[in-house]
Amino acid sequence: MPHWFVQLIELFLRDRRFRVNIGDDTSAWRIQVNGLPQGSVLSPTLFNLYTNDLPVTGSRKFIYADDICLKKQAQRYAELECCLTSNMVHMASYCRLTPSPMKTVTSMFHLLNTSAARELRYTWKANNSGMNAIQYTLALHWTGL
């Protein structure tokens, strides 16, 4: 890769600042230490490069923009819960990507109507803050539509 291109990417990601405006109030400037600039044409490409070598897991992965979906098919709930939990831990440690508890959900689709009300029990440890339960939802969350 040409040195000038590496320098261009460094300039794109270095020394970024932000502040928040709410009504007439404006916060102080803060340094942005992670993430990619939103709205840039280059950001999705950089994210795709960053996630190009995701680790092998027991789940299938679907990626759209900056969202990653793990999908697992199994005969037993315990297998689903165990596999998804360990896959999430593996993905987070490999990529240094921390799932947002506010935006991370689980859903389940099955043919066993007697268990239609059963929720997946799925947790992970994030940022040394103890175990976080993942929200279960019956509604589909479509991104980009």
Side-chain angles (χ1 to χ4, degrees):
M1 188 172 304
H3 182 66
W4 64 266
F5 184 73
V6 173
Q7 286 183 315
L8 177 70
I9 299 301
E10 285 178 359
L11 287 171
F12 180 68
L13 298 175
R14 189 180 341 147
D15 300 327
R16 293 180 295 133
R17 301 181 319 147
F18 72 96
R19 65 181 175 181
V20 177
N21 296 314
I22 299 176
D24 294 332
D25 296 325
T26 302
S27 71
W29 284 101
R30 304 282 181 159
I31 301 296
Q32 180 71 38
V33 295
N34 58 8
L36 294 166
Q38 291 192 1
S40 167
V41 175
L42 190 54
S43 293
T45 302
L46 290 175
F47 183 79
N48 287 339
L49 290 172
Y50 184 72
T51 59
N52 186 47
D53 63 344
L54 290 176
V56 174
T57 63
S59 302
R60 192 164 176 206
K61 291 175 265 324
F62 298 92
I63 301 173
Y64 178 78
D66 64 347
D67 294 321
I68 300 172
C69 172
L70 298 177
K71 176 211 153 275
K72 176 68 179 166
Q73 183 175 344
Q75 295 290 326
R76 295 180 309 281
Y77 292 107
E79 181 183 352
L80 285 173
E81 292 164 346
C82 181
C83 181
L84 290 174
T85 298
S86 66
N87 289 178
M88 189 68 140
V89 169
H90 186 59
M91 292 276 295
S93 65
Y94 181 83
C95 302
R96 291 169 290 158
L97 298 173
T98 304
S100 167
M102 301 302 295
K103 297 184 346 182
T104 304
V105 297
T106 63
S107 294
M108 184 170 41
F109 308 96
H110 56 83
L111 299 175
L112 189 58
N113 290 333
T114 58
S115 299
R118 169 108 165 36
E119 295 183 10
L120 287 175
R121 289 181 296 274
Y122 173 53
T123 59
W124 94 92
K125 184 173 184 164
N127 297 333
N128 300 321
S129 63
M131 297 304 285
N132 295 299
I134 305 294
Q135 175 187 350
Y136 179 80
T137 181
L138 294 173
L140 288 175
H141 289 262
W142 297 100
T143 306
L145 298 179

